[in-house]
Amino acid sequence: MRKFLCAALGACAAASLMVHSAAAETKVGLLLPTSGNYAALGKEIDDGFVMALEEAGMAGDFTLVREDSEAKPPVGMAKARKLVLQDNVDAVVGIVSSAVLGAVRDFIDGSKVPLIVANAGNDEATGANCSKYIVRVSFSNAQVNRPMGTWMAEHGVKKVYAMAPDYAAGHQMIDAFTASFTAAGGEVIGADYTPFGKTQDFGPYLTKAKAASPDAVFVFYAGGEAISFVKQYDSFGLKADIPLYGSGFLTSPLYVKAEGPAAIGVTTSLHYVPTLDTPENQAFVAAFKAKFDRPPSEYAVQGYDSARVLIEAVKAGAKGREAIAEALSKVSYTGPRGPLTIDPATNNVVQNIYVYETVADGDALTQKIVGTINEVRDAPNGCVLK
Ligand code: PHB
């Protein structure tokens, strides 16, 4: 009897080992902030990522190693090195801050490890500093903001005051907006860049913006800073006189509830809003709400799509760093945000950009889509993929 049991157990152990090694073949480093101004964004990306793995029934096929980048370049760099050199991951997924992406770019490229960028919009990573190992499924800073400059000029806005945090993303977003806005006849009459992650009181900047008498204020803020900014824009009395526009992270569904009525009437542009009326999105929103009891934001979709492109690559037979990097850029499908393809010229995602207004929906807030710019791709930007 004992012999029989042992034999049976041995067989079971061998079988389960086989299942395990065949299953958890792909090791992924999730490099996201779980502390600091962007902590909530990191959590949301992680939730979307895991949801896609579970939905595909492939959670067991991936081993996840999580590291907190703190959205700080030196920390992000140290953690990237740990994931690639010590944990020996097959792919890195994540990065929220453009500054962190700028810091790790050369290391990723030199290590020949695929990086799926799940947020950071740093234009250079799919522009002059592009790499065949870096594929972005989120957005580029220019991609989200360029359409809004044209849209605002076409909607009668002539003079704008701009504001953003003083780091790569803030500058790139305002630059892209300014270029298209001025090309369409508008004028940016002033701009301020506020210390990133340190500015709690926007009062002095808002006083300056008001004194300049613009038709509108255009900003990029995200995470905790977006909540403070939107609330102070209202409480300092600007909202009543000067309409507020921005890149859509400003009023993300992730934290618009914390902004409250101050967010009503703010118009912004983004690559995803949960109110998109498509079967793919409706199914996604229903599944996300059932799992997390809240509507998904753009960050959730970025995490979800990061997993989906990885899953597609692995299902197509890609194994190991080089093969995964190669396969990622060939993936395309219609998902929650609409059609998604990877631009072979840059490895940046090609996608629709939606202009949306935050409006009241009973006691809650929702996103009303007021414009769609189809299949936006980056303009030629110096990228040579080799
Ligand atoms: C960025 O640093 O690239 C960044 C951060 C947060 C956002 C968008 C872009 O919501």
Side-chain angles (χ1 to χ4, degrees):
M1 180 65 180
R2 230 181 85 179
K3 223 169 149 189
F4 170 73
L5 260 180
C6 283
L9 282 173
C12 286
S16 87
L17 248 181
M18 265 173 58
V19 170
H20 183 75
S21 61
E25 272 177 329
T26 306
K27 200 171 188 188
V28 179
L30 277 182
L31 184 55
L32 292 165
T34 52
S35 55
N37 182 59
Y38 290 153
L41 287 58
K43 162 91 170 63
E44 179 92 336
I45 292 169
D46 196 318
D47 283 347
F49 187 85
V50 171
M51 178 177 153
L53 296 187
E54 288 174 359
E55 193 179 87
M58 290 179 72
D61 293 43
F62 296 88
T63 302
L64 305 183
V65 186
R66 292 181 167 86
E67 288 296 341
D68 180 7
S69 69
E70 300 174 26
K72 293 180 183 149
V75 178
M77 184 63 204
K79 299 293 177 68
R81 290 179 68 85
K82 185 230 170 223
L83 289 169
V84 171
L85 302 175
Q86 196 174 314
D87 300 316
N88 208 19
V89 297
D90 296 299
V92 177
V93 173
I95 308 197
V96 163
S97 159
S98 280
V100 174
L101 180 53
V104 304
R105 184 268 166 209
D106 285 354
F107 172 70
I108 293 290
D109 183 65
S111 309
K112 301 183 192 294
V113 61
L115 165 65
I116 302 174
V117 180
N119 185 75
N122 194 328
D123 292 321
E124 291 173 359
T126 52
N129 281 333
C130 67
S131 160
K132 69 175 193 170
Y133 297 100
I134 300 179
V135 171
R136 180 158 47 204
V137 300
S138 47
F139 56 87
S140 72
N141 291 330
Q143 186 179 40
V144 168
N145 294 281
R146 191 163 26 98
M148 196 57 176
T150 316
W151 192 90
M152 282 174 63
E154 281 170 356
H155 284 75
V157 181
K158 294 196 167 58
K159 287 190 301 174
V160 158
Y161 199 93
M163 286 174 64
D166 190 9
Y167 79 101
H171 286 272
Q172 291 178 1
M173 296 213 195
I174 300 302
D175 285 354
F177 165 79
T178 303
S180 62
F181 186 58
T182 51
E187 193 190 347
V188 175
I189 58 172
D192 271 312
Y193 294 94
T194 56
F196 174 55
K198 295 189 192 105
T199 309
Q200 262 139 35
D201 178 11
F202 290 98
Y205 305 101
L206 294 173
T207 305
K208 260 180 85 184
K210 191 173 179 178
S213 290
D215 297 332
V217 167
F218 179 91
V219 305
F220 158 67
Y221 284 105
E225 288 194 325
I227 300 172
S228 307
F229 184 87
V230 168
K231 287 182 126 172
Q232 290 178 30
Y233 195 82
D234 189 17
S235 65
F236 280 96
L238 275 80
K239 195 182 154 202
D241 300 326
I242 310 171
L244 177 59
Y245 294 83
S247 56
F249 312 103
L250 185 66
T251 45
S252 172
L254 181 60
Y255 37 76
V256 75
K257 209 170 156 185
E259 294 170 351
I264 294 173
V266 179
T267 303
T268 60
S269 59
L270 205 55
H271 51 296
Y272 175 75
V273 282
T275 47
L276 264 173
D277 191 12
T278 63
E280 292 84 5
N281 185 48
Q282 279 164 358
F284 172 73
V285 171
F288 191 91
K289 277 187 176 163
K291 190 167 164 58
F292 299 108
D293 202 23
R294 63 176 193 268
S297 69
E298 65 279 16
Y299 306 110
V301 171
Q302 292 162 193
Y304 179 83
D305 281 332
S306 296
R308 276 192 66 175
V309 295
L310 188 58
I311 289 166
E312 292 304 320
V314 168
K315 283 213 298 213
K319 228 172 139 178
R321 292 176 175 177
E322 199 65 40
I324 291 175
E326 186 122 332
L328 286 174
S329 57
K330 303 198 170 61
V331 176
S332 85
Y333 55 87
T334 296
R337 66 177 97 179
L340 176 155
T341 55
I342 303 298
D343 187 345
T346 62
N347 268 357
N348 191 45
V349 58
V350 180
Q351 59 189 338
N352 297 346
I353 298 295
Y354 306 98
V355 181
Y356 76 94
E357 183 183 344
T358 299
V359 296
D361 179 16
D363 286 344
L365 296 168
T366 189
Q367 299 76 28
K368 181 177 161 202
I369 297 174
V370 294
T372 301
I373 301 99
N374 287 320
E375 294 186 27
V376 179
R377 72 180 59 235
D378 280 334
N381 56 15
C383 168
V384 182
L385 286 170
K386 46 179 187 303

